[in-house]
Amino acid sequence: MVQIIPAREISLDELEEKFGLQLASDTNFFREWQDNLPTLNAVEKQAIERIKSNYFNLNKRRFMSEEAVKMVVLSPLLDLAGFYQPPFEIETETAIEITAEDEGLIVKGNIDVLVIQKRLWILVIESKSSKCFINGTRCRITAST
């Protein structure tokens, strides 16, 4: 029997478990996407540090909603990367369906941001709130710098 889960009701932990997602910490992961990149200048590095600081500062006191994550982190990064300028186009809340055929599981929802260049998907972003659940109990994600 096929099970359909709304994307807004699934946590990152559940996605990792059900779809076998893993954090890739190998610096050679997608090496072809890392070669010949422009070097960040001092202003860009400072902007990235500020975005990171804003996130950790706001997340320290309470859970951040998905909308807050988009506003505090995603929007400034997209601007810094130049994705609001030609030749790129932005689509938001694009419907998507992810299927794990072996498990009979379908996750339906919307991609938060889709960056397109000439009909080619350049960047796909799905942000999540900073809350998590372990065995049905809400937990808090914390980070230190």
Side-chain angles (χ1 to χ4, degrees):
M1 183 173 127
V2 174
Q3 178 185 10
I4 299 175
I5 302 172
R8 69 181 170 278
E9 294 179 11
I10 194 165
S11 70
L12 183 56
D13 288 337
E14 291 170 311
L15 287 172
E16 288 173 347
E17 180 183 327
K18 293 182 186 313
F19 292 97
L21 300 179
Q22 298 177 26
L23 174 64
S25 57
D26 180 2
T27 57
N28 290 315
F29 185 72
F30 283 121
R31 184 79 235 157
E32 63 273 19
W33 292 2
Q34 299 174 42
D35 294 334
N36 302 317
L37 292 177
T39 304
L40 297 178
N41 63 38
V43 173
E44 293 165 332
K45 288 178 183 178
Q46 184 180 19
I48 290 172
E49 284 303 314
R50 183 167 178 97
I51 293 166
K52 186 169 118 181
S53 173
N54 289 344
Y55 173 78
F56 285 129
N57 178 56
L58 294 171
N59 195 41
K60 188 185 305 181
R61 291 172 184 78
R62 63 176 55 140
F63 296 118
M64 287 180 67
S65 70
E66 183 176 326
E67 293 304 314
V69 171
K70 286 190 246 181
M71 182 175 65
V72 172
V73 178
L74 184 55
S75 185
L77 285 175
L78 289 170
D79 182 45
L80 191 60
F83 287 138
Y84 294 138
Q85 298 294 318
F88 303 107
E89 298 175 28
I90 298 280
E91 288 187 19
T92 60
E93 297 300 324
T94 303
I96 189 76
E97 183 176 297
I98 303 171
T99 305
E101 294 180 21
D102 294 342
E103 302 294 325
L105 177 68
I106 298 174
V107 177
K108 287 187 176 183
N110 295 322
I111 296 172
D112 290 322
V113 177
L114 180 60
V115 178
I116 303 169
Q117 182 181 5
K118 296 182 181 177
R119 297 181 47 188
L120 174 67
W121 291 15
I122 303 295
L123 177 67
V124 177
I125 299 174
E126 170 58 30
S127 58
K128 291 290 184 190
S129 66
S130 63
K131 65 183 176 187
C132 70
F133 292 90
I134 297 177
N135 297 328
T137 304
R138 184 178 278 196
C139 61
R140 180 163 172 78
I141 298 171
T142 58
S144 59
T145 58

